[in-house]
């Protein structure tokens, strides 16, 4: 399927965020192959830590070992990936619930096969900023200022609003600026186009190492400072490999094999002995920050980023995200957290370890 066709379908479906075609490859393959048990299991990936589990499972041979004919397809834009998933051009896409919500609202059914990572967002400002660094005063200081997000209506946009509310600030009192891909954030901050930006913790790590930002809200450190409902959707399993429910229900044994492969990738990735090999693997696939050239520094980055790789999630985890996106008006479908999860998905770290054996 051509990228232009995917983009048109994304617009028609009312998906959230900007559709950026640059850097996206065509999913390819036929719908029949993607959703059958005999054709390849086509799995989306992109240059983020949320696709590392699938990449590791493929490169370390876990899929092959478990009898899964897997094929990785690079689709860098989440909206395009959701469209490819909904149309059957790929079998699995890693998504957060907001991206599949427009399709769920239209009656399409998706099942989360495994989790892929903890969903976390930080707020950073230029190092020279006069903002304090203690939350909530740090975020409250952004009243009347410009906050950069990838796109208006993106996941980061909604989290920024939640953080502002938690700090006692009306989101309408700030100006949100669409800054595009995260790779552009350092330049946007450095040139003063925004007063702060919302990014993921691994990106915060890179900018902190470069000494260019101060952190106003840390998903890792400040989660305990917000109310309990918001805390449930910060630093918890929130990114998932989604598949069409018809495929998941029609191929239960294949789903188990995929889950076992992903669990084995999870266990392998968290073994410190495999850090050099993981770093080399990701580097060869050009999935690591290009500006980090020192090998030891790259390993330190990977060691930090891999802490967010999580392939289990409980019904309570998913229900928290259902409630969050319903409260933001994106999810209107009558779904529950338990109903969105595969019945054979690992719900605890212990179950992931057992599943990997």
């Amino acid at each position: 399927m051509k990228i232009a066709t995917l983009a048109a379908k994304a617009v028609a479906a009312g998906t959230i965020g900007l559709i950026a075609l640059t850097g996206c490859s065509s999913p390819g393959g036929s719908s029949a192959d993607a959703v059958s048990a005999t054709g390849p299991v086509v799995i989306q990936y992109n240059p983020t830590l949320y696709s590392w589990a699938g990449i590791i499972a493929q490169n370390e041979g876990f899929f092959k070992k478990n009898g899964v004919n897997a094929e990785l397809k690079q689709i860098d834009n989440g909206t395009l990936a959701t469209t490819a998933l909904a149309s059957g051009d790929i079998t699995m896409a890693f998504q957060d619930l907001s991206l599949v919500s427009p399709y769920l609202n239209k009656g399409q059914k998706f099942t989360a096969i495994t989790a892929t990572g903890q969903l976390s967002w930080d707020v950073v400002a230029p190092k020279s900023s006069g903002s304090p660094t203690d939350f909530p005063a740090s975020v409250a200081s952004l009243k009347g200022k410009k906050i950069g997000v990838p796109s208006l209506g993106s996941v980061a946009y909604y989290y920024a609003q939640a953080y502002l509310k938690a700090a006692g600030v009306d989101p309408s009192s700030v100006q949100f600026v669409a800054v595009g891909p995260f790779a552009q954030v350092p330049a946007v901050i450095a040139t003063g186009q925004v007063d702060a930006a919302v990014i993921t913790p691994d990106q915060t790590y890179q900018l902190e190492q470069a000494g260019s930002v101060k952190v106003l809200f840390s998903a890792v450190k400040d989660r305990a400072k917000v109310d309990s409902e918001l805390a449930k959707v910060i630093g918890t399993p929130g990114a998932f490999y989604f598949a069409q429910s018809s495929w998941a229900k029609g191929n239960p044994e294949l789903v188990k094999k995929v889950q076992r492969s992903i669990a084995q990738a999870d266990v392998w990735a968290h073994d410190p002995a495999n850090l050099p090999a993981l770093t080399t693997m990701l580097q060869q696939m050009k999935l690591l920050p290009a500006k980090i050239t020192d090998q030891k520094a790259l390993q330190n980055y990977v060691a930090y980023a891999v802490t967010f790789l999580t392939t289990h999630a409980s019904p309570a985890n998913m229900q928290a995200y259902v409630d969050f996106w319903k409260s933001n008006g994106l999810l209107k479908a009558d779904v529950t957290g338990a109903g969105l999860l595969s019945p054979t998905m690992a719900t605890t770290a212990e179950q992931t370890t057992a599943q990997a054996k």
Side-chain angles (χ1 to χ4, degrees), residues 35-319:
V35 297
S36 72
T38 55
V41 177
V42 186
I43 303 171
Q44 174 231 356
Y45 78 95
N46 75 8
T48 70
L49 64 91
Y50 297 109
S51 59
W52 285 7
I55 291 169
I56 294 167
Q58 182 77 324
N59 282 276
E60 287 301 306
F62 297 129
F63 281 135
K64 184 176 181 180
K65 175 183 176 182
N66 290 301
V68 178
N69 178 17
E71 178 182 327
L72 300 185
K73 289 289 184 180
Q74 183 170 0
I75 309 176
D76 290 352
N77 180 272
T79 302
L80 290 179
T82 313
T83 304
L85 176 65
S87 64
D89 287 289
I90 58 176
T91 317
M92 289 168 40
F94 74 89
Q95 307 282 296
D96 72 89
L97 190 55
S98 71
L99 283 168
V100 298
S101 288
Y103 291 94
L104 292 172
N105 294 341
K106 292 177 179 292
Q108 190 148 1
K109 306 296 183 183
F110 294 110
T111 297
I113 305 301
T114 74
T116 64
Q118 300 170 18
L119 199 59
S120 300
W121 298 95
D122 292 344
V123 180
V124 299
K127 193 75 172 180
S128 59
S129 167
S131 294
T133 55
D134 292 330
F135 182 83
S138 55
V139 172
S141 71
L142 297 177
K143 183 177 181 179
K145 297 184 178 181
K146 297 178 180 179
I147 301 178
V149 292
S151 64
L152 303 183
S154 62
V155 180
Y157 169 80
Y158 284 100
Y159 270 80
Q161 292 195 45
Y163 293 165
L164 287 165
K165 292 176 183 177
V169 177
D170 184 342
S172 66
S173 69
V174 307
Q175 180 182 349
F176 287 103
V177 180
V179 300
F182 285 112
Q184 299 179 16
V185 170
V188 169
I189 291 178
T191 55
Q193 296 178 51
V194 296
D195 300 295
V198 184
I199 58 177
T200 57
D202 62 305
Q203 293 155 340
T204 301
Y205 176 89
Q206 297 173 50
L207 296 180
E208 280 194 300
Q209 292 298 303
S212 59
V213 298
K214 63 167 60 174
V215 181
L216 306 188
F217 183 89
S218 166
V220 175
K221 299 176 182 177
D222 295 322
R223 178 172 175 250
K225 299 179 182 179
V226 300
D227 69 77
S228 59
E229 291 306 305
L230 178 55
K232 290 178 182 178
V233 292
I234 300 174
T236 58
F240 301 87
Y241 274 130
F242 277 102
Q244 290 191 25
S245 295
S246 57
W247 177 85
K249 291 178 180 178
N251 301 287
E253 293 307 311
L254 181 55
V255 167
K256 290 178 184 178
K257 292 177 180 179
V258 169
Q259 290 169 332
R260 185 180 304 115
S261 302
I262 295 296
Q264 289 170 341
D266 185 339
V267 172
W268 184 91
H270 286 95
D271 183 345
N274 295 324
L275 179 60
L278 175 58
T279 303
T280 299
M281 177 196 305
L282 298 172
Q283 190 175 22
Q284 289 176 344
M285 294 186 69
K286 298 182 179 180
L287 299 178
L288 295 181
K291 291 186 177 181
I292 304 179
T293 56
D294 178 75
Q295 197 65 21
K296 182 61 177 177
L298 272 175
Q299 287 190 21
N300 289 340
Y301 164 76
V302 173
Y304 176 76
V306 81
T307 63
F308 296 92
L309 191 161
T310 302
T311 61
H312 69 272
S314 69
N317 287 143
M318 183 64 96
Q319 187 61 48

